Coordinates of all heavy atoms in Angstrom, one line a residue:
M1 N 6.7 -2.6 20.4 CA 5.6 -2.5 19.5 C 6.0 -3.3 18.3 O 7.1 -3.4 17.9 CB 5.3 -1.1 19.1 CG 6.4 -0.4 18.4 SD 6.1 1.3 17.7 CE 5.5 2.1 19.2
L2 N 4.9 -4.0 17.7 CA 5.1 -4.8 16.5 C 4.9 -3.9 15.3 O 3.9 -3.2 15.2 CB 4.0 -5.9 16.5 CG 4.1 -6.9 15.4 CD1 5.4 -7.6 15.3 CD2 3.0 -7.9 15.4
T3 N 5.9 -3.9 14.5 CA 5.9 -3.0 13.4 C 6.2 -3.7 12.1 O 7.0 -4.7 12.0 CB 7.1 -1.9 13.6 OG1 6.8 -1.2 14.8 CG2 7.1 -0.9 12.4
R4 N 5.5 -3.3 11.0 CA 5.6 -4.0 9.7 C 6.0 -3.0 8.7 O 5.6 -1.8 8.8 CB 4.2 -4.6 9.4 CG 4.2 -5.4 8.1 CD 3.1 -6.4 8.2 NE 1.8 -5.8 8.3 CZ 1.0 -5.5 7.3 NH1 1.4 -5.8 6.0 NH2 -0.2 -4.9 7.4
I5 N 6.8 -3.4 7.7 CA 7.1 -2.5 6.6 C 6.5 -3.1 5.3 O 6.4 -4.4 5.2 CB 8.6 -2.3 6.4 CG1 9.4 -3.6 6.4 CG2 9.1 -1.4 7.5 CD1 10.9 -3.5 6.1
I6 N 6.1 -2.3 4.4 CA 5.5 -2.7 3.1 C 6.3 -2.1 2.0 O 6.1 -1.0 1.5 CB 4.0 -2.2 3.0 CG1 3.2 -2.7 4.3 CG2 3.4 -2.8 1.8 CD1 1.8 -2.2 4.4
P7 N 7.4 -2.8 1.6 CA 8.3 -2.3 0.6 C 7.6 -1.8 -0.7 O 8.1 -0.9 -1.3 CB 9.3 -3.4 0.3 CG 9.2 -4.3 1.6 CD 7.8 -4.2 2.1
E8 N 6.5 -2.5 -1.1 CA 5.8 -2.1 -2.3 C 5.3 -0.7 -2.2 O 5.1 0.0 -3.2 CB 4.6 -3.1 -2.6 CG 4.9 -4.5 -2.6 CD 4.7 -5.1 -1.2 OE1 3.6 -5.5 -0.8 OE2 5.7 -5.1 -0.4
N9 N 5.0 -0.2 -1.0 CA 4.4 1.1 -0.8 C 5.5 2.2 -0.7 O 5.2 3.4 -0.7 CB 3.5 1.1 0.4 CG 2.2 0.4 0.2 OD1 2.0 -0.1 -0.9 ND2 1.4 0.3 1.2
C10 N 6.7 1.7 -0.5 CA 7.8 2.7 -0.2 C 8.3 3.4 -1.4 O 8.4 2.8 -2.5 CB 9.0 1.9 0.4 SG 10.4 2.9 0.8
I11 N 8.4 4.8 -1.3 CA 8.8 5.6 -2.4 C 10.3 6.1 -2.3 O 10.7 7.0 -2.9 CB 7.9 6.8 -2.6 CG1 7.8 7.6 -1.4 CG2 6.5 6.3 -3.1 CD1 7.1 9.0 -1.5
A12 N 11.0 5.4 -1.3 CA 12.4 5.7 -1.1 C 12.7 7.2 -0.8 O 13.6 7.8 -1.3 CB 13.3 5.3 -2.3
C13 N 11.8 7.8 0.0 CA 12.0 9.2 0.4 C 13.1 9.5 1.4 O 13.6 10.6 1.5 CB 10.6 9.8 0.8 SG 10.2 9.3 2.5
G14 N 13.4 8.5 2.2 CA 14.5 8.6 3.1 C 14.1 9.1 4.5 O 14.9 9.1 5.4
L15 N 12.8 9.5 4.7 CA 12.4 10.1 6.0 C 12.5 9.1 7.2 O 12.9 9.5 8.3 CB 11.0 10.6 5.9 CG 10.8 12.0 5.4 CD1 9.3 12.3 5.2 CD2 11.4 13.0 6.2
C16 N 12.2 7.9 7.0 CA 12.2 6.9 8.1 C 13.6 6.7 8.6 O 13.8 6.5 9.8 CB 11.5 5.6 7.8 SG 12.2 4.7 6.4
Q17 N 14.6 6.7 7.7 CA 15.9 6.5 8.2 C 16.5 7.7 8.9 O 17.3 7.6 9.8 CB 16.8 6.1 7.0 CG 18.0 5.3 7.3 CD 19.2 6.2 7.6 OE1 19.3 7.3 7.2 NE2 20.2 5.6 8.4
I18 N 16.0 8.9 8.5 CA 16.4 10.1 9.2 C 15.7 10.2 10.6 O 16.4 10.5 11.6 CB 16.0 11.4 8.4 CG1 16.8 11.4 7.1 CG2 16.1 12.6 9.2 CD1 16.2 12.4 6.1
K19 N 14.5 9.8 10.7 CA 13.8 9.8 11.9 C 14.0 8.7 12.9 O 13.9 8.8 14.1 CB 12.2 9.9 11.7 CG 11.8 11.1 10.9 CD 12.1 12.4 11.7 CE 11.7 13.6 10.9 NZ 12.1 14.9 11.7
A20 N 14.4 7.5 12.3 CA 14.6 6.3 13.1 C 15.8 5.6 12.6 O 15.7 4.4 12.1 CB 13.4 5.5 13.2
P21 N 17.0 6.2 12.7 CA 18.2 5.5 12.1 C 18.6 4.2 12.8 O 19.3 3.4 12.2 CB 19.3 6.6 12.3 CG 18.8 7.5 13.4 CD 17.3 7.5 13.3
D22 N 18.1 4.0 14.0 CA 18.5 2.7 14.7 C 17.6 1.6 14.3 O 17.8 0.4 14.6 CB 18.3 2.9 16.2 CG 19.3 3.9 16.7 OD1 20.4 4.0 16.2 OD2 19.0 4.6 17.7
I23 N 16.5 1.9 13.5 CA 15.5 0.9 13.2 C 15.5 0.6 11.7 O 15.5 -0.5 11.2 CB 14.1 1.3 13.6 CG1 14.1 1.6 15.1 CG2 13.1 0.2 13.2 CD1 12.8 2.2 15.6
F24 N 15.5 1.7 10.9 CA 15.3 1.5 9.4 C 16.6 1.8 8.6 O 17.4 2.6 9.0 CB 14.2 2.4 8.9 CG 12.9 2.1 9.6 CD1 12.3 3.0 10.5 CD2 12.2 0.9 9.4 CE1 11.1 2.8 11.2 CE2 11.0 0.7 10.1 CZ 10.5 1.6 10.9
D25 N 16.7 1.1 7.5 CA 17.8 1.3 6.6 C 17.2 1.1 5.2 O 16.0 0.9 5.0 CB 18.9 0.3 6.9 CG 20.2 0.8 6.4 OD1 20.3 1.8 5.7 OD2 21.3 0.2 6.8
Y26 N 18.1 1.1 4.2 CA 17.6 0.9 2.8 C 18.3 -0.1 2.1 O 19.5 -0.4 2.3 CB 17.8 2.3 2.1 CG 17.0 3.4 2.7 CD1 17.7 4.3 3.4 CD2 15.7 3.3 2.7 CE1 17.0 5.3 4.0 CE2 15.0 4.3 3.3 CZ 15.7 5.3 4.0 OH 15.0 6.2 4.7
D27 N 17.6 -0.7 1.1 CA 18.3 -1.6 0.2 C 19.0 -0.8 -0.9 O 19.0 0.4 -0.9 CB 17.4 -2.7 -0.4 CG 16.3 -2.1 -1.3 OD1 16.4 -1.0 -1.7 OD2 15.4 -2.9 -1.6
A28 N 19.5 -1.5 -1.9 CA 20.3 -0.8 -3.0 C 19.4 0.2 -3.8 O 19.9 1.2 -4.3 CB 20.9 -1.8 -3.9
E29 N 18.1 0.0 -3.8 CA 17.2 0.9 -4.5 C 16.6 2.0 -3.6 O 15.8 2.8 -4.1 CB 16.0 0.1 -5.1 CG 16.3 -0.5 -6.5 CD 17.0 -1.9 -6.3 OE1 16.5 -2.7 -5.6 OE2 18.0 -2.1 -7.0
G30 N 17.1 2.0 -2.4 CA 16.5 3.0 -1.5 C 15.3 2.6 -0.8 O 14.6 3.5 -0.1
I31 N 14.9 1.4 -0.9 CA 13.6 0.9 -0.3 C 13.8 0.4 1.1 O 14.8 -0.2 1.4 CB 13.0 -0.3 -1.2 CG1 12.7 0.2 -2.6 CG2 11.7 -0.8 -0.6 CD1 11.8 1.4 -2.8
V32 N 12.8 0.7 1.9 CA 13.0 0.5 3.4 C 13.2 -1.0 3.7 O 12.6 -1.9 3.1 CB 11.7 1.0 4.1 CG1 10.5 0.3 3.8 CG2 12.0 1.0 5.6
I33 N 14.1 -1.2 4.7 CA 14.4 -2.5 5.3 C 14.6 -2.3 6.8 O 14.9 -1.1 7.2 CB 15.6 -3.2 4.7 CG1 16.9 -2.3 4.8 CG2 15.4 -3.7 3.3 CD1 18.1 -3.0 4.4
F34 N 14.5 -3.3 7.6 CA 14.9 -3.2 9.0 C 16.4 -3.3 9.0 O 17.0 -4.2 8.5 CB 14.2 -4.3 9.8 CG 12.8 -4.1 10.1 CD1 11.8 -4.9 9.6 CD2 12.4 -3.1 11.0 CE1 10.5 -4.7 9.9 CE2 11.1 -2.9 11.3 CZ 10.1 -3.7 10.8
K35 N 17.0 -2.4 9.8 CA 18.4 -2.3 9.8 C 19.1 -3.5 10.4 O 20.1 -4.0 9.8 CB 18.8 -1.1 10.7 CG 20.2 -0.8 10.8 CD 20.5 0.4 11.7 CE 22.0 0.7 11.7 NZ 22.3 1.9 12.5
N36 N 18.5 -4.1 11.4 CA 19.2 -5.3 12.0 C 18.8 -6.6 11.4 O 19.4 -7.6 11.8 CB 18.9 -5.3 13.5 CG 17.5 -5.5 13.9 OD1 16.6 -5.6 13.0 ND2 17.2 -5.6 15.2
D37 N 17.8 -6.6 10.5 CA 17.5 -7.8 9.8 C 16.8 -7.5 8.5 O 15.5 -7.5 8.4 CB 16.6 -8.7 10.7 CG 16.4 -10.1 10.1 OD1 16.9 -10.3 8.9 OD2 15.9 -11.0 10.8
P38 N 17.5 -7.4 7.4 CA 17.0 -7.0 6.1 C 16.0 -8.0 5.5 O 15.3 -7.7 4.6 CB 18.2 -6.8 5.2 CG 19.3 -6.7 6.2 CD 19.0 -7.5 7.4
E39 N 16.0 -9.2 6.0 CA 15.2 -10.2 5.5 C 13.7 -10.2 5.9 O 12.8 -10.8 5.3 CB 15.8 -11.6 5.8 CG 17.2 -11.8 5.3 CD 17.3 -11.7 3.8 OE1 16.4 -12.3 3.1 OE2 18.2 -11.0 3.3
V40 N 13.4 -9.6 7.1 CA 12.1 -9.7 7.6 C 11.2 -8.5 7.3 O 11.8 -7.4 7.1 CB 12.1 -9.9 9.2 CG1 12.9 -11.2 9.5 CG2 12.7 -8.7 9.9
L41 N 9.9 -8.7 7.3 CA 9.0 -7.5 7.0 C 8.3 -7.1 8.3 O 7.6 -6.0 8.2 CB 8.0 -8.0 6.0 CG 8.6 -8.2 4.6 CD1 7.5 -8.6 3.6 CD2 9.3 -7.0 4.1
S42 N 8.4 -7.8 9.4 CA 7.8 -7.3 10.6 C 8.7 -7.6 11.8 O 9.5 -8.6 11.7 CB 6.4 -7.8 10.9 OG 6.4 -9.1 11.2
Q43 N 8.6 -6.8 12.8 CA 9.6 -6.9 13.9 C 9.0 -6.3 15.2 O 8.3 -5.3 15.1 CB 10.9 -6.2 13.5 CG 12.1 -6.7 14.1 CD 13.4 -6.1 13.5 OE1 13.6 -4.9 13.7 NE2 14.2 -6.9 12.8
M44 N 9.4 -6.9 16.3 CA 9.1 -6.2 17.6 C 10.2 -5.1 17.9 O 11.3 -5.5 17.9 CB 9.1 -7.2 18.8 CG 7.9 -8.1 18.9 SD 6.3 -7.1 19.0 CE 6.5 -6.4 20.6
I45 N 9.7 -3.9 18.0 CA 10.7 -2.8 18.3 C 10.8 -2.7 19.8 O 9.8 -2.6 20.5 CB 10.1 -1.5 17.7 CG1 9.8 -1.7 16.2 CG2 11.1 -0.4 18.0 CD1 11.0 -2.0 15.4
P46 N 12.1 -2.7 20.3 CA 12.2 -2.6 21.8 C 11.7 -1.3 22.3 O 11.7 -0.3 21.6 CB 13.8 -2.7 21.9 CG 14.4 -2.6 20.6 CD 13.3 -2.8 19.6
S47 N 11.3 -1.2 23.5 CA 10.7 -0.1 24.1 C 11.5 1.2 24.0 O 11.0 2.3 23.8 CB 10.2 -0.3 25.5 OG 11.3 -0.8 26.3
D48 N 12.8 1.1 24.1 CA 13.7 2.3 24.1 C 13.7 2.9 22.6 O 14.2 4.0 22.5 CB 15.1 2.0 24.6 CG 15.8 0.9 23.8 OD1 15.1 -0.1 23.4 OD2 17.0 1.0 23.7
L49 N 13.2 2.2 21.6 CA 13.2 2.7 20.3 C 11.8 3.0 19.8 O 11.6 3.4 18.6 CB 13.9 1.7 19.3 CG 15.4 1.4 19.5 CD1 15.9 0.4 18.5 CD2 16.2 2.7 19.5
E50 N 10.8 2.8 20.6 CA 9.4 3.0 20.2 C 9.1 4.4 19.8 O 8.4 4.6 18.8 CB 8.5 2.6 21.3 CG 8.3 1.1 21.4 CD 7.3 0.7 22.5 OE1 6.8 1.5 23.2 OE2 7.1 -0.6 22.5
E51 N 9.7 5.4 20.5 CA 9.5 6.8 20.1 C 10.0 7.1 18.7 O 9.3 7.7 17.9 CB 10.1 7.7 21.1 CG 9.5 9.0 21.2 CD 10.1 9.9 22.3 OE1 10.3 9.3 23.4 OE2 10.3 11.1 22.1
Q52 N 11.2 6.6 18.4 CA 11.7 6.8 17.0 C 10.8 6.1 16.0 O 10.5 6.7 15.0 CB 13.1 6.0 16.9 CG 14.3 6.8 17.3 CD 15.5 6.0 16.9 OE1 15.6 5.5 15.7 NE2 16.5 5.9 17.7
C53 N 10.4 5.0 16.3 CA 9.6 4.2 15.4 C 8.3 4.9 15.1 O 7.8 5.0 14.0 CB 9.3 2.8 16.0 SG 8.6 1.7 14.8
M54 N 7.7 5.4 16.2 CA 6.4 6.2 16.0 C 6.6 7.4 15.2 O 5.7 7.7 14.3 CB 5.9 6.5 17.4 CG 4.5 6.7 17.6 SD 3.5 5.4 16.8 CE 2.2 5.3 17.9
T55 N 7.7 8.1 15.4 CA 7.9 9.3 14.6 C 8.1 8.9 13.1 O 7.5 9.6 12.2 CB 9.2 10.0 15.1 OG1 9.1 10.2 16.4 CG2 9.5 11.3 14.3
A56 N 8.8 7.9 12.8 CA 9.0 7.4 11.4 C 7.6 7.0 10.8 O 7.3 7.4 9.7 CB 10.0 6.3 11.4
Y57 N 6.9 6.3 11.6 CA 5.5 5.9 11.2 C 4.7 7.1 10.8 O 4.0 7.1 9.8 CB 4.9 5.1 12.3 CG 3.4 5.0 12.3 CD1 2.8 4.2 11.3 CD2 2.6 5.7 13.2 CE1 1.4 4.1 11.3 CE2 1.2 5.5 13.2 CZ 0.6 4.8 12.2 OH -0.7 4.7 12.2
K58 N 4.7 8.1 11.6 CA 3.9 9.3 11.4 C 4.4 10.1 10.2 O 3.6 10.7 9.4 CB 3.9 10.2 12.6 CG 3.0 9.6 13.7 CD 3.1 10.6 14.9 CE 2.4 10.0 16.1 NZ 2.8 10.7 17.4
K59 N 5.7 10.0 9.9 CA 6.3 10.8 8.8 C 6.2 10.1 7.5 O 6.2 10.7 6.4 CB 7.7 11.1 9.1 CG 7.9 12.1 10.3 CD 7.6 13.5 9.8 CE 7.7 14.5 11.0 NZ 7.2 15.8 10.7
C60 N 6.1 8.8 7.5 CA 6.1 8.1 6.2 C 4.9 8.5 5.4 O 3.7 8.4 5.7 CB 6.0 6.6 6.5 SG 5.9 5.7 4.9
P61 N 5.2 9.1 4.2 CA 4.1 9.7 3.4 C 3.2 8.6 2.7 O 2.1 9.0 2.2 CB 4.9 10.5 2.3 CG 6.2 9.8 2.2 CD 6.5 9.3 3.6
T62 N 3.6 7.4 2.6 CA 2.8 6.4 1.9 C 2.3 5.3 2.8 O 1.8 4.3 2.3 CB 3.7 5.8 0.8 OG1 4.8 5.2 1.3 CG2 4.1 6.9 -0.2
R63 N 2.5 5.4 4.1 CA 2.1 4.4 5.0 C 2.7 3.0 4.7 O 2.1 2.0 4.8 CB 0.5 4.2 5.0 CG -0.2 5.4 5.7 CD 0.0 5.2 7.2 NE 0.0 6.5 7.8 CZ -1.0 7.0 8.6 NH1 -2.0 6.2 8.8 NH2 -0.9 8.2 9.2
A64 N 4.0 3.1 4.4 CA 4.8 1.9 4.1 C 5.3 1.3 5.4 O 5.8 0.2 5.5 CB 5.9 2.2 3.2
I65 N 5.0 2.0 6.5 CA 5.4 1.6 7.9 C 4.0 1.5 8.6 O 3.3 2.4 8.7 CB 6.3 2.5 8.6 CG1 7.6 2.7 7.9 CG2 6.5 2.1 10.1 CD1 8.5 3.8 8.4
I66 N 3.8 0.3 9.2 CA 2.5 0.0 9.9 C 2.9 -0.3 11.4 O 3.7 -1.2 11.6 CB 1.8 -1.1 9.3 CG1 1.6 -0.9 7.8 CG2 0.5 -1.4 10.0 CD1 0.5 0.0 7.4
I67 N 2.2 0.3 12.3 CA 2.3 -0.2 13.7 C 1.1 -1.2 13.9 O 0.0 -0.8 13.9 CB 2.1 1.0 14.7 CG1 3.1 2.1 14.4 CG2 2.2 0.5 16.1 CD1 4.5 1.8 14.5
E68 N 1.5 -2.4 14.0 CA 0.5 -3.5 14.2 C 0.0 -3.5 15.6 O -1.2 -3.8 15.8 CB 1.1 -4.9 13.9 CG 1.7 -5.0 12.5 CD 0.7 -5.5 11.5 OE1 -0.5 -5.5 11.8 OE2 1.1 -6.1 10.5
K69 N 0.8 -3.3 16.6 CA 0.4 -3.4 17.9 C 1.3 -2.4 18.7 O 2.5 -2.5 18.7 CB 0.7 -4.8 18.5 CG -0.3 -5.3 19.4 CD 0.2 -6.6 20.0 CE -0.8 -7.7 19.8 NZ -0.3 -9.0 20.5
E70 N 0.6 -1.5 19.4 CA 1.4 -0.4 20.1 C 2.2 -0.9 21.3 O 3.3 -0.5 21.5 CB 0.5 0.7 20.5 CG 0.0 1.5 19.3 CD -0.2 3.0 19.5 OE1 0.3 3.5 20.5 OE2 -0.9 3.6 18.7
K71 N 1.6 -1.8 22.1 CA 2.3 -2.3 23.2 C 2.2 -3.8 23.3 O 1.2 -4.4 22.9 CB 1.6 -1.7 24.5 CG 1.7 -0.2 24.7 CD 3.1 0.1 25.3 CE 3.2 1.7 25.3 NZ 4.6 2.1 25.2
A72 N 3.3 -4.4 23.8 CA 3.2 -5.8 24.0 C 2.2 -6.1 25.1 O 1.9 -5.3 26.0 CB 4.6 -6.3 24.4
T73 N 1.5 -7.3 24.9 CA 0.5 -7.7 25.9 C 1.2 -7.9 27.2 O 2.2 -8.6 27.3 CB -0.2 -8.9 25.4 OG1 -0.6 -8.7 24.1 CG2 -1.4 -9.3 26.3
P74 N 0.7 -7.3 28.3 CA 1.3 -7.6 29.6 C 1.3 -9.1 29.9 O 0.3 -9.8 29.6 CB 0.4 -6.8 30.6 CG -0.4 -5.9 29.8 CD -0.5 -6.5 28.4
T75 N 2.3 -9.6 30.6 CA 2.4 -11.0 30.8 C 2.1 -11.4 32.2 O 2.1 -12.6 32.5 CB 3.9 -11.5 30.5 OG1 4.8 -10.6 31.2 CG2 4.1 -11.4 29.0
N76 N 1.7 -10.5 33.1 CA 1.5 -10.9 34.5 C 0.0 -11.3 34.7 O -0.9 -11.0 34.2 CB 1.9 -9.8 35.5 CG 1.1 -8.5 35.2 OD1 0.5 -8.3 34.1 ND2 1.2 -7.5 36.1
Ligands
SF4_166 S1 9.4 7.1 5.1 FE1 8.1 5.5 4.1 S2 8.2 6.0 1.9 FE2 9.9 7.1 2.9 S3 11.7 5.6 2.8 FE3 10.6 5.2 4.7 S4 9.2 3.6 4.4 FE4 9.8 4.5 2.4

């Protein structure tokens, strides 16, 4: 799934890192970043991490995590 983060909306509550520690991390101010690439604001989440990602998305109190596309378009 294609997922986007909006750091301006993040209140550094910590929930996404608790719910999806393989995906999200924080910068020095506690603001959300992608764990494997702190420079980007959107990323394709591999299918084995989608459940984590969805949980974090639902828990984020300020909608600083956005699911842009739930499933990759089938290629066949
Ligand atoms: S759950 Fe949302 S508000 Fe809380 S740290 Fe993560 S992105 Fe920021």
Side-chain angles (χ1 to χ4, degrees):
M1 64 175 54
L2 181 61
T3 302
R4 185 158 58 96
I5 52 175
I6 306 173
E8 311 88 90
N9 290 356
C10 177
I11 56 169
C13 73
L15 274 174
C16 59
Q17 206 269 337
I18 292 167
K19 297 296 178 185
D22 296 329
I23 303 169
F24 301 110
D25 206 348
Y26 301 108
D27 68 10
E29 275 85 50
I31 300 300
V32 65
I33 55 175
F34 282 109
K35 185 176 180 180
N36 65 357
D37 191 349
E39 301 300 316
V40 302
L41 293 180
S42 71
Q43 210 171 63
M44 281 304 290
I45 304 300
S47 53
D48 59 326
L49 296 180
E50 283 184 354
E51 205 175 316
Q52 272 193 43
C53 191
M54 205 48 144
T55 305
Y57 159 71
K58 288 179 186 162
K59 291 286 177 191
C60 178
T62 61
R63 290 285 151 110
I65 298 170
I66 307 281
I67 306 296
E68 300 270 20
K69 216 189 238 187
E70 289 213 16
K71 294 278 174 207
T73 309
T75 52
N76 56 349

